């Protein structure tokens, strides 16, 4: 599976004042307890009724489901019942009621499935029906503004990351999906002639189940920001490889594109629970176009919510996405290959 990080086209040349960083902490791979996962630690999920397309997300549901965001004609959400091996599909691709154009975020909150579709600004909630071993769409709404991410936050609140050109890091939305506050701060580095925005700081985000912690891990920088329950920046982590990328602009006549020197892919996918979070490390220096096909996750790093490094899991093969069930100590992942597989590791 190939991932492409496209240049960001910016037509506005205005600059904004840099926002302050919180407490910065530097870490290296030596700060973690290294765990070498072996192929023998993994189980490949087998089901003759399951044909994977190109799943972009995997999520473990505590009622013993594996959920996939996959572009299947039957539905964009694949729900695998691990008790019965039965497969159900939910949410058709489209622009009509109870349909979405794409899925960017797939979350579990109080047993319900939440998914966001930035292309049509939709946020859907699928209610769990334990007695029927199924789910039903119970809530559909559009979020205010153009967004990169939209996830459930506190009760009756939604947290969004505005679209790339936005200079607000996050927006807090009410039950009607309307913006009620601007929260968070942009990471600050020395780019005096550039507008700091979410296009430069492309990120994965995760909210702890108790909504007391939020983490944002940058894709192009070695920056992980941790926020507390008031969305104050608790600390900013810098590492682990010591790469100092710089965003630069290239004039193309009617505006400019943002590129990076070095063009380094760092983090991909972040998941969390109430005790801490896990982030996937890519760590690839993009020297040529062919390198874009080598962007799988090679390590998973775990931290507590104070930013303390805990464990580094070295993977025997690259994966494209993952989830962690800390209770059963299992890692659920999709392999990075032409014909992807679901693999489950014992941690």
């Amino acid at each position: 599976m190939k991932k492409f990080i496209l240049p960001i086209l910016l037509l506005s040349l205005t600059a904004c004042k840099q926002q302050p960083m919180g407490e910065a902490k530097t870490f290296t791979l030596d700060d973690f307890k290294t765990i070498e996962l072996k192929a023998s630690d993994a189980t490949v999920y087998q089901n003759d009724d399951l044909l994977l397309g190109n799943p972009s997300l995997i999520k473990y549901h505590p009622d013993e489901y594996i959920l996939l965001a996959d572009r299947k004609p039957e539905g964009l959400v694949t729900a695998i019942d691990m008790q019965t091996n039965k497969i159900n599909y939910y949410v058709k691709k489209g622009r009509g009621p109870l349909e979405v154009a794409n899925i960017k975020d797939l979350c579990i909150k109080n047993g319900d499935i939440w998914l966001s579709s930035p292309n049509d600004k939709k946020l859907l909630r699928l209610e769990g029906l334990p007695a029927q071993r199924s789910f039903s769409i119970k809530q559909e709404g559009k979020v205010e503004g153009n967004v990169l991410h939209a996830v459930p936050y506190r009760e009756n609140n939604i947290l969004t990351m505005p679209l790339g050109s936005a200079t607000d890091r996050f927006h807090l939305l009410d039950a009607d999906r309307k913006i009620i506050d601007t929260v968070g701060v942009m990471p600050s580095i020395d780019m005096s002639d550039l507008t700091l925005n979410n296009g430069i700081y492309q990120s994965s985000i995760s909210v702890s189940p108790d909504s007391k912690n939020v983490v944002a891990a940058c894709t192009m920088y070695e920056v992980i920001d941790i926020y507390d329950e008031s969305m104050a920046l608790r600390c900013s982590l810098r590492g682990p490889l010591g790469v100092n990328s710089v965003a630069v602009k290239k004039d193309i006549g009617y505006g400019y594109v943002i590129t990076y020197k070095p063009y380094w892919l760092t983090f991909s996918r972040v998941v969390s629970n109430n005790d801490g979070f896990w982030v996937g490390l890519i760590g690839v220096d993009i020297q040529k176009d062919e390198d874009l096909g080598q962007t799988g996750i090679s390590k998973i790093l775990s931290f507590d919510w104070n930013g303390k490094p805990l464990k580094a899991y070295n993977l025997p093969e690259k994966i494209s996405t993952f989830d962690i069930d800390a209770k059963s100590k299992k890692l659920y992942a999709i392999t990075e290959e032409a014909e992807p597989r679901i693999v489950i590791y014992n941690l």
Side-chain angles (χ1 to χ4, degrees):
M1 187 191 311
K2 294 184 179 181
K3 297 187 185 75
F4 297 92
I5 308 297
L6 300 178
I8 305 103
L9 178 62
L10 300 176
L11 301 182
S12 172
L13 303 183
T14 60
C16 72
K17 183 178 180 180
Q18 295 183 20
Q19 301 188 49
M21 287 294 296
E23 179 189 358
K25 298 180 179 179
T26 301
F27 69 96
T28 71
L29 292 177
D30 292 335
D31 295 325
F32 298 85
K33 178 181 178 180
T34 301
I35 307 295
E36 296 287 346
L37 295 180
K38 303 181 179 64
S40 57
D41 296 324
T43 300
V44 178
Y45 178 74
Q46 305 280 355
N47 190 322
D48 292 339
D49 295 326
L50 178 66
L51 180 62
L52 295 180
N54 191 13
S56 59
L57 296 169
I58 186 170
K59 194 70 182 173
Y60 177 77
H61 191 289
D63 289 340
E64 296 186 75
Y65 293 93
I66 294 176
L67 306 175
L68 306 174
D70 200 359
R71 291 180 173 270
K72 301 298 294 292
E74 301 93 335
L76 297 184
V77 177
T78 302
I80 305 168
D81 190 331
M82 298 298 286
Q83 292 184 5
T84 66
N85 270 344
K86 183 179 178 180
I87 300 171
N88 286 313
Y89 298 92
Y90 301 94
V91 188
K92 295 281 189 177
K93 178 179 173 62
R95 299 283 182 173
L98 306 183
E99 298 177 336
V100 297
N102 68 325
I103 294 179
K104 187 63 177 288
D105 301 288
L106 186 64
C107 307
I108 310 297
K109 187 77 170 179
N110 299 326
D112 293 344
I113 303 171
W114 291 77
L115 59 93
S116 73
S117 175
N119 286 8
D120 46 9
K121 301 183 181 182
K122 283 187 177 181
L123 185 68
L124 269 64
R125 178 175 67 88
L126 282 68
E127 182 182 41
L129 305 173
Q132 289 80 28
R133 297 293 297 169
S134 65
F135 298 88
S136 175
I137 300 176
K138 288 298 182 181
Q139 190 176 26
E140 178 187 38
K142 288 200 172 186
V143 299
E144 182 180 0
N146 297 311
V147 302
L148 294 170
H149 296 282
V151 296
Y153 187 39
R154 308 180 190 119
E155 187 175 357
N156 298 322
N157 287 136
I158 301 298
L159 188 69
T160 67
M161 177 173 282
L163 197 61
S165 59
T167 56
D168 296 335
R169 189 56 163 160
F170 297 103
H171 286 157
L172 187 63
L173 280 56
D174 61 15
D176 295 322
R177 311 294 189 259
K178 300 298 182 183
I179 298 172
I180 58 174
D181 200 2
T182 297
V183 294
V185 295
M186 287 290 172
S188 179
I189 59 177
D190 185 16
M191 296 186 302
S192 57
D193 60 341
L194 294 180
T195 300
L196 304 184
N197 57 45
N198 285 326
I200 293 173
Y201 296 113
Q202 302 173 59
S203 302
S204 298
I205 67 173
S206 184
V207 178
S208 63
D210 60 9
S211 297
K212 292 183 178 181
N213 305 276
V214 176
V215 58
C218 291
T219 303
M220 311 299 293
Y221 293 93
E222 291 195 335
V223 176
I224 302 172
D225 287 339
I226 304 173
Y227 295 88
D228 64 20
E229 58 186 316
S230 66
M231 285 303 295
L233 185 61
R234 181 180 294 137
C235 67
S236 183
L237 306 179
R238 303 297 182 92
L241 303 178
V243 177
N244 296 311
S245 296
V246 176
V248 296
K249 63 181 181 182
K250 179 181 179 181
D251 194 339
I252 56 174
Y254 55 89
Y256 59 85
V257 294
I258 296 297
T259 61
Y260 300 87
K261 292 184 178 180
Y263 196 118
W264 191 269
L265 299 183
T266 54
F267 302 116
S268 175
R269 184 73 172 137
V270 59
V271 301
S272 66
N273 64 13
N274 292 338
D275 297 320
F277 63 91
W278 298 260
V279 62
L281 178 64
I282 297 176
V284 172
D285 186 4
I286 304 299
Q287 299 280 353
K288 51 189 181 301
D289 289 345
E290 290 78 5
D291 294 334
L292 289 169
Q294 306 296 322
T295 57
I297 296 167
S298 59
K299 300 177 187 290
I300 296 174
L301 310 179
S302 68
F303 300 82
D304 68 16
W305 283 116
N306 290 315
K308 178 182 177 181
L310 300 176
K311 296 179 180 178
Y313 297 93
N314 292 336
L315 300 168
E317 60 183 331
K318 289 190 175 183
I319 60 175
S320 61
T321 186
F322 70 94
D323 195 20
I324 300 281
D325 177 29
K327 184 177 180 179
S328 64
K329 297 183 179 180
K330 291 186 182 296
L331 161 66
Y332 296 83
I334 302 293
T335 57
E336 175 86 359
E337 55 189 338
E339 296 184 0
R341 297 164 290 134
I342 298 173
V343 292
I344 305 171
Y345 288 91
N346 295 312
L347 299 179

